[in-house]
Amino acid sequence: MSFIRVALDVPLPTLFDYRAAAATSDDIGARVLVPFGRTIAVGVIVELASTTSLPPQRVRRALSILRDVPPLPADILGLLKFCSDYYHHPLGEVVLNALPTRLRQRQAFQGEKATHYRLTGAGLAVAAESLPRRATIKLELLRLLRTAEAGIDEAVLRAIAPRAAAALKTMTEHGWIERVAVARELPRAGAVALRVVPGPALTDEQHAAVASVRSADAGFTPWLLHGVTGSGKTEVYLQLVGDLLACGKQVLLLVPEINLTPQLEALVHARFPDTLLAALHSGLNESERLHNWLAAQSGAAGIVLGTRLAVFTPLPKLGLVVVDEEQDSSFKQTDGLRYSARDLALWRAKQLAIPIVLGSATPALETFHKALNGSYRTLALTRRVNTMPPVIECIDTRREPLIDGMSQALLSALRITMKRGEQSLVFINRRGFAPVLMCPSCGWTSGCERCSAKLVLHLQEQRLRCHHCGHQERVPRACPQCGNQDLKPLGQGTQRIESALARILPSARILRIDRDSTRRKRAWHEMRRQIHAQEVDILVGTQILAKGHDFPQLNLVGVVNADSSLYSTDFRASERLFARLTQVAGRAGRGASRGRVMIQTDFPAHVLYQALCRDDYPAFAKELLAERKQAGFPPFVYQAVLRAEASRLETALEFLIRAAREGAKVESSVTIYDPVPAGMPRRAGLERAQLTVQARSRPGLHAFLRAWQVRLGHAAGRKVRWALDVDPLEL
Ligand code: ADP
Ligand code: ZN
Ligand code: ZN
């Protein structure tokens, strides 16, 4: 073979041919340096070829094939090709996007330096009995370090427990251990016997769920693990993970948020102490990410725990995929390559003929529908493990005067909970002090110049901030329009609730948890510690707090301002609201006493709140599905959205009108809707519009999109940026 076809990180739907006489089939999936224009680019070899359609004099020679790390395996190349086809996104961008940044750079990978800790003579002499029994982390570190004369990687030791880093520091100060820099070896798959620390005895429902998966035929089986909050879904995952590890297989565990990884990581580590766990998420630095990726690719890591990007990780011995909180919209990327990690995970499991478990208390309607019609098999956990489900009630806010957005009923419940020495959470899905600043005398409001959105008042920082484009400015002293000095914050955000509570309940220890207060590295970690150590009475937080956390002392949850998405134009809004409220409510009463959830609303009779109070997702979901079927919405139809951006709205709309006309020329039965301005028409100085196309069948939609995409390229012109969003979650 004398040619290679190379994927390059460029927005063109094509591979690039180069001469490479020395390339063999072993190099498929390898990185390669090639001349591109006047620069040198890193690409990935996707195919070998004996001919090329280019004139021979135009085919350039590849500079070198990088064999420093193993090539991408065939199944991953297959996944990436599928991803490119399905999302109608250039293969080169898809392939390069899947590589850790360090492997996209031109320098060959030279191996890394790592820091190890090892015992000193003094450390070796420390007798375990001389330490207090509660110094569990130090004892574990000493035990581990005794087994490894050359020392152990700092990252491995830190992963043992959140407080391992502090323990390492103290132990260094005592002179028990020392740091040494070593060349980091790539982890290799070793034949270590699996050590499993037993977990709790399973409940009957957990047992039945695990038994169903165990007794199923080998091969691709998609499971929906539908378990109410607190029903112990994680325990089911861990049992299944244990089965797979025992057969020497790897497991891919996908979670929606990096905030959730430390907790799960600690749990998994405690259960399988000798199994290498590779975390993969955007919170890692590049060398950590590469290291973990290589540990996964070599087969050394038994478990890969990551956010959506981890779905592309090469795993030679993959035997099971778990997607926790599968309904979560963070599995869908919303710019660039708009893929759904959950859907790709399903494709991957099917391709490899392995089981996949989708876990949720409120499955996505797409998933629920497939479970109802039998394409997925259902595992149900209907009861909490040791505790009663929380009591959920609505507080009718039409009748009650609110104090800074909070009702008397909620305030007095907060007071009582605090007296009992238990924790509460006030949930409000808006950060900042108030969503807008306004002038009562002329009606001016703080708008963002670059977006069709309001600037949010951040009182603590004395700033007005746009949550969409990042623009910020000082809080004006007087109305810019009429000079009135008495500007009023309108509505509530976390900061306002926090300061109101501090005023009304002066003795309460309040902790605000939102994107602003957790921005600092390890801030969230410290907050979790404070909550567990009961140094906090009332948490005020956004949805950062809602997901998956287990705070045993938390008994009361108050929900403020939930109504805003009740009558949204987005047909998915109520599905999402139900999921979010179920998650928040699920934080209550996970410890000894029964939880209570108070939802403040102007619409207590709304079906959504009614179903929520009965804790009856299936009934609500079936109702939504019936509505969707009637109205012709997903999952009964398949959609794609063509999104366009330009400096003028007319430019974007004109392009979409041309696009619709081009679409009408394509032979197909898809419905092409009229172009409309986007839900938020202006963002970061660009005007946005969109056009939805819809089909009764998936293949029908994709056949149309393929033909249409070619025509779109010609219709666009320079002034418009456009992108296709397949299976869009936001309209
Ligand atoms: P979910 O993810 O379904 O909301 P979790 O997996 O977080 O629930 O489990 C809720 C709590 O119950 C956790 O504290 C977990 O440790 C505990 N738990 C789970 N299974 C069992 C069991 N079989 N016996 C005792 N405790 C359990
Ligand atoms: Zn004014
Ligand atoms: Zn803005």
Side-chain angles (χ1 to χ4, degrees):
M1 299 275 177
S2 34
F3 300 102
I4 51 177
R5 301 224 153 95
V6 177
L8 291 174
D9 192 3
V10 289
L12 294 172
T14 171
L15 295 173
F16 296 83
D17 290 3
Y18 288 91
R19 272 177 222 287
T24 72
S25 59
D26 289 344
D27 294 319
I28 293 176
R31 281 140 56 244
V32 60
L33 291 182
V34 293
F36 187 71
R38 281 190 221 147
T39 63
I40 295 173
V42 179
V44 170
I45 301 174
V46 175
E47 287 164 20
L48 302 185
S50 47
T51 58
T52 166
S53 54
L54 291 174
Q57 70 280 9
R58 283 197 47 209
V59 184
R60 300 167 80 179
R61 197 172 294 283
L63 300 174
S64 68
I65 296 175
L66 301 174
R67 298 187 175 99
D68 48 356
V69 301
L72 290 176
D75 69 312
I76 291 296
L77 285 176
L79 175 71
L80 297 169
K81 279 184 198 155
F82 169 77
C83 181
S84 161
D85 281 348
Y86 188 86
Y87 293 105
H88 301 270
H89 198 88
L91 181 60
E93 289 189 347
V94 173
V95 171
L96 274 295
N97 171 62
L99 289 178
T101 319
R102 290 274 289 273
L103 297 183
R104 280 180 251 162
Q105 291 162 349
R106 269 165 46 183
Q107 304 80 358
F109 168 65
Q110 298 288 345
E112 302 169 78
K113 290 270 179 285
T115 305
H116 277 200
Y117 279 97
R118 69 175 173 217
L119 286 178
T120 60
L124 266 172
V126 174
E129 302 76 54
S130 69
L131 287 176
R133 288 258 298 282
R134 61 188 159 73
T136 47
I137 296 171
K138 285 190 192 125
L139 285 166
E140 174 69 1
L141 289 171
L142 282 176
R143 188 190 69 73
L144 279 173
L145 287 166
R146 286 216 168 93
T147 64
E149 217 172 291
I152 298 179
D153 195 315
E154 178 172 15
V156 173
L157 293 174
R158 276 170 177 250
I160 288 174
R163 274 191 275 174
L168 287 169
K169 189 157 170 260
T170 338
M171 290 165 67
T172 312
E173 284 161 7
H174 291 341
W176 297 351
I177 56 174
E178 61 188 358
R179 286 166 71 106
V180 276
V182 293
R184 183 179 256 187
E185 279 188 35
L186 290 184
R188 260 183 285 273
V192 199
L194 176 70
R195 189 154 64 96
V196 185
V197 175
L202 297 186
T203 64
D204 291 348
E205 285 187 328
Q206 285 172 327
H207 188 81
V210 172
S212 301
V213 179
R214 281 184 184 150
S215 65
D217 293 338
F220 173 62
T221 316
W223 298 94
L224 165 62
L225 176 60
H226 186 183
V228 300
T229 56
S231 59
K233 292 186 282 297
T234 318
E235 196 52 49
V236 175
Y237 305 150
L238 290 176
Q239 292 292 330
L240 300 175
V241 169
D243 289 356
L244 270 287
L245 293 177
C247 317
K249 298 278 190 183
Q250 291 175 295
V251 180
L252 175 62
L253 253 168
L254 295 177
V255 294
E257 283 238 10
I258 67 173
N259 277 333
L260 291 175
T261 58
Q263 185 174 317
L264 195 54
E265 213 174 319
L267 202 63
V268 173
H269 189 82
R271 189 64 57 89
F272 309 106
D274 300 334
T275 303
L276 186 60
L277 182 154
L280 281 173
H281 51 72
S282 57
L284 302 176
N285 67 36
E286 274 154 30
S287 90
E288 290 169 325
R289 187 173 162 214
L290 176 59
H291 184 82
N292 291 355
W293 193 85
L294 290 170
Q297 187 189 38
S298 69
I303 302 168
V304 169
L305 171 59
T307 48
R308 63 171 179 258
L309 59 86
V311 75
F312 298 113
T313 315
L315 293 156
K317 299 181 291 183
L318 184 60
L320 170 72
V321 184
V322 174
V323 184
D324 191 25
E325 302 291 356
E326 64 85 30
Q327 84 293 347
D328 201 290
S329 55
S330 8
F331 285 120
K332 178 95 198 283
Q333 180 147 306
T334 51
D335 52 10
L337 170 60
R338 293 166 158 86
Y339 68 99
S340 154
R342 178 200 57 207
D343 294 350
L344 289 180
L346 279 158
W347 191 85
R348 199 171 170 184
K350 187 164 186 186
Q351 227 40 36
L352 294 173
I354 58 171
I356 175 169
V357 178
L358 308 177
S360 179
T362 50
L365 284 189
E366 281 77 3
T367 306
F368 193 68
H369 178 58
K370 290 211 177 86
L372 286 178
N373 74 19
S375 329
Y376 296 172
R377 295 180 62 183
T378 304
L379 307 165
L381 304 179
T382 60
R383 288 184 295 275
R384 283 196 172 193
V385 175
N386 281 323
T387 56
M388 302 274 280
V391 179
I392 305 178
E393 64 196 297
C394 285
I395 299 178
D396 189 342
T397 41
R398 289 166 307 181
R399 307 231 176 91
E400 263 202 71
L402 299 182
I403 305 164
D404 283 292
M406 287 174 290
S407 61
Q408 271 312 336
L410 176 58
L411 288 170
S412 66
L414 286 169
R415 215 172 268 127
I416 293 167
T417 308
M418 193 166 86
K419 275 215 187 90
R420 284 211 302 255
E422 296 170 348
Q423 292 173 327
S424 309
L425 158 66
V426 178
F427 173 79
I428 172 163
N429 208 19
R430 239 190 223 140
R431 62 201 169 89
F433 187 84
V436 59
L437 187 65
M438 131 179 239
C439 168
S441 101
C442 77
W444 170 88
T445 53
S446 56
C448 177
E449 281 175 16
R450 311 177 65 220
C451 304
S452 30
K454 299 295 175 202
L455 293 174
V456 176
L457 174 64
H458 286 249
L459 205 58
Q460 286 183 343
E461 303 87 342
Q462 281 294 320
R463 291 275 186 199
L464 290 174
R465 283 192 183 149
C466 176
H467 287 183
H468 300 282
C469 72
H471 168 81
Q472 49 174 309
E473 52 192 64
R474 296 225 329 257
V475 179
R477 291 239 178 82
C479 173
Q481 210 161 270
C482 74
N484 169 24
Q485 301 208 338
D486 191 21
L487 296 176
K488 288 263 183 304
L490 222 61
Q492 281 81 34
T494 46
Q495 292 183 359
R496 189 168 200 170
I497 297 286
E498 179 190 22
S499 64
L501 286 172
R503 195 183 67 236
I504 303 166
L505 303 169
S507 63
R509 295 166 299 173
I510 301 166
L511 182 65
R512 173 168 60 87
I513 302 186
D514 56 24
R515 199 129 55 83
D516 302 312
S517 72
T518 52
R519 193 153 290 164
R520 237 182 50 249
K521 211 176 171 185
R522 296 186 69 75
W524 173 229
H525 179 85
E526 167 58 15
M527 289 177 174
R528 274 209 343 257
R529 188 199 63 73
Q530 282 176 283
I531 302 170
H532 282 284
Q534 290 213 63
E535 295 167 15
V536 181
D537 300 311
I538 303 179
L539 305 167
V540 176
T542 56
Q543 57 179 340
I544 292 191
L545 260 184
K547 296 182 185 174
H549 300 290
D550 214 0
F551 299 128
Q553 299 305 321
L554 185 66
N555 268 312
L556 173 66
V557 169
V559 178
V560 173
N561 265 358
D563 289 341
S564 43
S565 38
L566 215 47
Y567 294 100
S568 160
T569 51
D570 184 342
F571 68 86
R572 281 195 176 81
S574 51
E575 177 188 351
R576 246 181 258 136
L577 178 62
F578 196 100
R580 194 186 308 141
L581 293 180
T582 301
Q583 266 180 340
V584 193
R587 296 318 104 210
R590 290 168 80 98
S593 37
R594 184 156 194 188
R596 181 170 180 202
V597 180
M598 303 172 91
I599 299 171
Q600 294 192 167
T601 172
D602 281 351
F603 309 96
H606 194 285
V607 283
L608 187 148
Y609 291 129
Q610 290 297 315
L612 196 72
C613 293
R614 291 195 316 269
D615 197 10
D616 195 351
Y617 182 68
F620 183 65
K622 283 176 192 157
E623 190 155 330
L624 286 184
L625 280 172
E627 277 173 33
R628 297 254 188 111
K629 186 166 192 177
Q630 172 103 46
F633 281 134
F636 302 95
V637 297
Y638 303 90
Q639 291 184 328
V641 169
L642 175 61
R643 302 184 189 279
E645 279 183 354
S647 51
R648 291 173 55 242
L649 186 60
E650 295 74 56
T651 317
L653 285 170
E654 279 159 18
F655 159 66
L656 293 178
I657 290 166
R658 282 198 302 281
R661 247 184 256 135
E662 290 299 318
K665 293 182 199 158
V666 176
E667 180 80 32
S668 101
S669 59
V670 302
T671 310
I672 303 172
Y673 288 94
D674 287 337
V676 289
M680 203 177 88
R682 186 176 164 81
R683 186 153 99 194
L686 286 174
E687 303 289 341
R688 298 147 13 111
Q690 65 195 32
L691 180 165
T692 302
V693 297
Q694 189 166 298
R696 295 235 153 247
S697 87
R698 223 189 262 288
L701 177 66
H702 285 275
F704 169 79
L705 292 177
R706 260 189 298 280
W708 195 33
Q709 197 180 23
V710 180
R711 294 163 172 269
L712 290 177
H714 308 304
R718 292 186 171 214
K719 291 185 173 156
V720 190
R721 273 184 45 186
W722 59 274
L724 277 174
D725 187 350
V726 178
D727 305 331
L729 286 186
E730 318 262 344
L731 287 181

